[in-house]
Amino acid sequence: MSVRVERDKETGVAVVTLDRAEKHNAITPEMARELSDVWRGFRYEDEVRAIVVTGAGGRAFCTGIDRSAEVPQPSSPYTIDDPLLTIGPKANDLWKPVVAAVEGMACGGAFYLLGESEFLIAGEDATFFDPHTTYGMVSAFETVHMAQRMPYGEIARMALMGGAERISARRAHETGLVSELTEPGGALAAALRAAAVVAGHPTEAVQGTVRALWSVHEAARAQALAHAPHLVALGNLPPERQAELFGRRGAGFRTR
């Protein structure tokens, strides 16, 4: 199992950990199914009233899809199979609050999870970036998710600059993506404290509030996501060309 779940009956908080530290917690199709099952299972666990999602190892929260994984695609240009579409809590009809604790890198497909969390807490050495365009891929699903919580100029710059630029935790805090900064390594403890407070409130009121907040952007988000598969199908380079660009990746980038 690459997804570890721990429950604290006293506080009512569960911790979901992406547990592939050696691969920067990159997500395989099997891991995506595990995450979906975990979120759906929480709907039936009344003792779990709030959840923290984090990544193992401290070097990365998550770096998106594991590029070594095979993801077969249908031949039709009108459809696309994306194993990350259902890795988030809202995609699985879970309305219990989720707090993300971010250490190290969070990029690409990580935004499916961050975009469906209620708020983010990050260590000061965390960085956020989206390398899609660098490797000839359209940033559609990820950009739609993050556009709900980042100013347009910030999400546009991150998506268009690709792997050439990383957003520091401090800049993410300044622009509202991150609600609280901690010392490196302190994000999980801070997220647990916040989640315990939320879990201490009547869960019906909390879940109703989550649902109300989500409804503010839900219509626009759903409409935007409906366009995403077509944009990906039209704009992505062939897989072999993507792999060639990925193989040339370098360490040069700037952080702001």
Side-chain angles (χ1 to χ4, degrees):
M1 299 288 283
S2 299
V3 178
R4 179 162 36 92
V5 180
E6 300 166 276
R7 299 164 177 82
D8 187 327
K9 292 183 179 180
E10 184 175 345
T11 63
V13 176
V15 178
V16 176
T17 303
L18 309 181
D19 199 9
R20 295 187 77 216
E22 73 286 357
K23 295 291 186 180
H24 291 156
N25 300 315
I27 297 174
T28 63
E30 295 77 13
M31 193 172 169
R33 288 190 288 271
E34 287 180 46
L35 277 166
S36 180
D37 289 344
V38 165
W39 299 125
R40 296 188 73 81
F42 281 144
R43 297 182 306 157
Y44 301 96
E45 296 187 40
D46 292 343
E47 64 275 16
V48 173
R49 300 183 296 279
I51 301 108
V52 172
V53 61
T54 193
R59 294 177 60 197
F61 170 80
C62 175
T63 54
I65 190 73
D66 187 331
R67 288 190 62 87
S68 67
E70 285 194 26
V71 184
Q73 294 296 324
S75 59
S76 170
Y78 301 102
T79 60
I80 185 171
D81 280 347
D82 185 340
L84 302 187
L85 284 178
T86 57
I87 65 169
K90 309 304 184 297
N92 288 283
D93 198 33
L94 178 71
W95 301 100
K96 296 177 180 181
V98 177
V99 181
V102 181
E103 300 281 358
M105 296 181 290
C107 66
F111 298 152
Y112 288 74
L113 282 171
L114 298 182
E116 293 196 9
S117 299
E118 271 50 73
F119 55 91
L120 281 59
I121 295 176
E124 289 182 337
D125 60 354
T127 56
F128 303 83
F129 61 103
D130 187 353
H132 276 73
T133 56
T134 299
Y135 304 131
M137 296 180 286
V138 175
S139 179
F141 294 102
E142 297 82 0
T143 300
V144 169
H145 278 292
M146 297 309 284
Q148 310 304 309
R149 57 178 67 237
M150 295 176 71
Y152 178 86
E154 292 294 316
I155 182 62
R157 178 168 174 153
M158 180 174 72
L160 295 173
M161 294 287 284
E165 184 173 80
R166 300 188 180 189
I167 297 176
S168 67
R170 186 152 301 279
R171 180 60 180 166
H173 184 253
E174 291 170 350
T175 58
L177 173 60
V178 170
S179 68
E180 180 182 351
L181 286 180
T182 73
E183 71 284 353
L188 178 57
L192 286 169
R193 287 193 295 270
V197 171
V198 176
H201 301 323
T203 189
E204 293 84 355
V206 168
Q207 290 186 53
T209 301
V210 169
R211 193 66 183 87
L213 286 167
W214 190 253
S215 69
V216 174
H217 299 293
E218 190 169 29
R221 174 181 171 277
Q223 188 174 18
L225 286 175
H227 291 291
H230 312 296
L231 298 175
V232 170
L234 286 168
N236 274 16
L237 291 178
E240 59 273 14
R241 179 62 177 142
Q242 292 180 30
E244 180 184 340
L245 291 172
F246 189 75
R248 296 179 187 173
R249 67 191 186 281
F253 61 86
R254 56 173 292 193
T255 301
R256 91 187 147 90

